[in-house]
Amino acid sequence: MNKWTYILSLGLGLWTTDARAQELPFCACTSSPCADEPAPDEPACITFDEAADLAALPGSTTYKLTTRSDPNPSGAIHASALNPSAICEYGVCYVRGDGRVSLAAYGHQTVFFGWSGCSDSAESHLDLGPLTASSECVAHFGPGLIVVNTHVEGRDDGAKVQIDGSCQGAGRCSFLNGGSVTLSAPPSDTRFTFVGWSGCSTSTEPTLSFADVRQALPECTAKYVPAAPVY
């Protein structure tokens, strides 16, 4: 069987020597012809397009791994094969047997939040394999800056929540995504009594500390009630 007869028969799903196809390694490059591939009567490896045809065959044990960023185009994903049982191109991989792939997520003026679909890892670099089914890996991204909004409810003296962290101020601050933040409710006075927080927390402590600024979303409200009259 020559090279082109092999490709045509595989593309039509009519190749009857599937066992032989499963034995061939994936090519080191992704397209045909490969620079490192000889020109024998029968091919020495399977290219990316041939792997796609093989994965489409009924009962195939070659699995497709797709990737995407959310939202798109907030980030990019680089996919690469870690051994000859996997082959990747443009964020798509075909994997079989002991095949393993490496995924690396990169943000464009955004911050990587984590993966979903194929994994729930929060690490931007992900190694996967072996696979038992086709799957999709989604890399989630968010804005590089997070705005912390606060509000005071139940008092009319213009008091504001104090915000401390990589940004210091009152009422509203912008933070680098992933930084920590501490919120302090305005001190109680003779007219108002602090009763707790709402929105980002239900704590009744006047000071809130978050290791990750995203925990302070969407808004933190310090709640007060009129102080009991003193007779």
Side-chain angles (χ1 to χ4, degrees):
M1 179 187 294
N2 63 39
K3 171 74 173 181
W4 303 112
T5 302
Y6 164 84
I7 294 174
L8 178 61
S9 61
L10 181 57
L12 294 175
L14 299 177
W15 192 35
T16 58
T17 57
D18 182 68
R20 171 62 178 152
Q22 295 293 346
E23 294 173 359
L24 293 175
F26 290 126
C27 297
C29 68
T30 55
S31 59
S32 182
C34 284
D36 60 347
E37 184 182 341
D41 290 339
E42 194 164 324
C45 62
I46 296 176
T47 66
F48 181 85
D49 290 341
E50 293 164 358
D53 291 332
L54 188 61
L57 294 175
S60 174
T61 54
T62 297
Y63 303 113
K64 182 179 182 180
L65 180 71
T66 58
T67 65
R68 66 180 174 91
S69 59
D70 179 41
N72 186 33
S74 291
I77 303 170
H78 176 72
S80 59
L82 293 177
N83 62 13
S85 295
I87 189 169
C88 302
E89 185 177 66
Y90 303 124
V92 176
C93 298
Y94 292 97
V95 184
R96 70 179 179 200
D98 63 348
R100 299 188 65 84
V101 300
S102 172
L103 304 180
Y106 302 92
H108 299 313
Q109 297 183 337
T110 59
V111 174
F112 174 75
F113 283 174
W115 297 93
S116 67
C118 63
S119 172
D120 58 0
S121 174
E123 298 295 327
S124 59
H125 182 269
L126 194 63
D127 288 345
L128 294 175
L131 301 184
T132 58
S134 296
S135 62
E136 180 182 55
C137 295
V138 182
H140 298 274
F141 297 88
L145 287 178
I146 294 291
V147 177
V148 174
N149 293 294
T150 63
H151 181 66
V152 175
E153 179 182 292
R155 57 191 295 177
D156 57 4
D157 58 352
K160 294 183 178 180
V161 174
Q162 184 66 34
I163 306 174
D164 295 301
S166 58
C167 164
Q168 295 187 353
R172 174 187 174 98
C173 269
S174 296
F175 289 81
L176 289 175
N177 201 337
S180 61
V181 60
T182 297
L183 307 179
S184 300
S188 298
D189 61 25
T190 57
R191 296 180 300 156
F192 307 104
T193 300
F194 175 76
V195 293
W197 297 89
S198 66
C200 64
S201 174
T202 57
S203 173
T204 56
E205 296 295 325
T207 299
L208 291 178
S209 293
F210 298 108
D212 189 326
V213 66
R214 285 174 287 172
Q215 296 174 304
L217 301 180
E219 183 179 79
C220 294
T221 299
K223 303 179 69 174
Y224 292 80
V225 296
V230 177
Y231 298 102

